[in-house]
Amino acid sequence: MISFTGLSAFPITPASPDGRVDPAALRALIAPLVTAGVDSIGLLGSTGTYAYLSREERRRALDAALDEAGGRVPIIVGIGALRTDEAVALAQDARAAGAAAGLLAAMSYTPLTDEEVFEHFLAVATGSGLPICIYDNPGTTHFRFTPSLVGRLAQVPGIHALKSPAPDPISVAGHLDALRRAVPADFRLGFSGDWNAAEALLAGGEAWYSVAAGLFPKPCLAILRAAQAGDAARMRALDARVQPLWDLFREFTSLRVIYAAAEHLGLCRTDPPRPILPLPEPVRHRVAEVVDRLGLA
């Protein structure tokens, strides 16, 4: 069973303009993550543009990632879909392929109620047998998981963890406490939002679901290990060093910045799926300057 702890690195998914995944380019992004020793790889998350890919292309991406990881690093794969039956099918695909877990968001066009989300997750967990991590991503889904709903879902067999946006440092302790009181002791609480993740780890978060780690695993691992050791001074110093990258993430979104960084480093030649546009040239120059100045690669 995957632990849902430590550093989970979320790479982009190189694909053609018509949504055809490039397996070779994806494997080239996965290989350094395996070598660096990340605790898991988050394939087809929001950074991996899962919502823009067909079921067939998602499976192509998963097969390539599993082949490259070779069982050395567990793969958590995005299985979100607008329809419950489609999410069940994607979860079944993931389990059959050998993914360690599924990352399930509350995707919808029509706003969902708590009960609708509960039934959706229940159907996917029971209909697939795949271990599930709840993906709380209100910035894209416009649905927020409350501690009460997380607590209900944590009682469902097969739902083991939560990935939620890290709140600001002032709020994180209270946020974690409310969640911890709602879930069993073995239910794992992890955070995304790289710019606040370090303080969330120090406050007791058990996993960091990181966009930056999908391209720059080493500095992210250093931050994580310092937090795990309780070395707040070192953790904050390491985190402050990459603050220019966090600033770019917050200003232009992590997805767009990571695409620009990957292209600057010559790792793959791909743009985000339309209608998302690449960053303008002056901003791409800023991204390149930060990557080079910080020596992130």
Side-chain angles (χ1 to χ4, degrees), residues 122-148:
L122 176 65
V124 176
T126 58
S128 69
L130 181 72
I132 300 295
C133 177
I134 300 166
Y135 186 10
D136 183 13
N137 191 19
T140 60
T141 65
H142 309 291
F143 181 88
R144 168 69 76 177
F145 285 83
T146 63
S148 175

Side-chain angles (χ1 to χ4, degrees), residues 106-186:
M107 291 181 67
S108 185
Y109 179 81
T110 299
L112 298 175
T113 67
D114 281 11
E115 193 61 30
E116 288 166 340
V117 170
F118 178 83
E119 291 294 335
H120 179 68
F121 275 71
L122 176 65
V124 176
T126 58
S128 69
L130 181 72
I132 300 295
C133 177
I134 300 166
Y135 186 10
D136 183 13
N137 191 19
T140 60
T141 65
H142 309 291
F143 181 88
R144 168 69 76 177
F145 285 83
T146 63
S148 175
L149 179 56
V150 173
R152 286 184 67 198
L153 288 168
Q155 302 301 322
V156 174
I159 300 180
H160 300 281
L162 170 70
K163 172 185 183 286
S164 64
D168 63 80
I170 294 174
S171 306
V172 68
H175 176 75
L176 261 172
D177 181 64
L179 287 169
R180 182 52 65 200
R181 286 187 281 109
V183 300
D186 62 349

Side-chain angles (χ1 to χ4, degrees), residues 221-242:
L221 278 167
I223 292 169
L224 175 86
R225 302 306 180 214
Q228 289 176 327
D231 190 342
R234 175 168 172 75
M235 183 211 74
R236 288 176 177 139
L238 291 168
D239 188 59
R241 183 176 179 276
V242 293

Side-chain angles (χ1 to χ4, degrees), residues 283-296:
V283 181
R284 293 204 296 273
H285 285 157
R286 286 178 58 188
V287 173
E289 188 274 332
V290 166
V291 169
D292 291 345
R293 174 163 52 89
L294 298 181
L296 292 171

Side-chain angles (χ1 to χ4, degrees), residues 30-35 37-41 65-75:
I30 296 291
L33 308 181
V34 176
T35 301
V38 299
D39 296 289
S40 64
I41 293 170
L66 287 167
D67 181 64
E68 187 62 41
R72 293 168 288 172
V73 177
I75 303 290

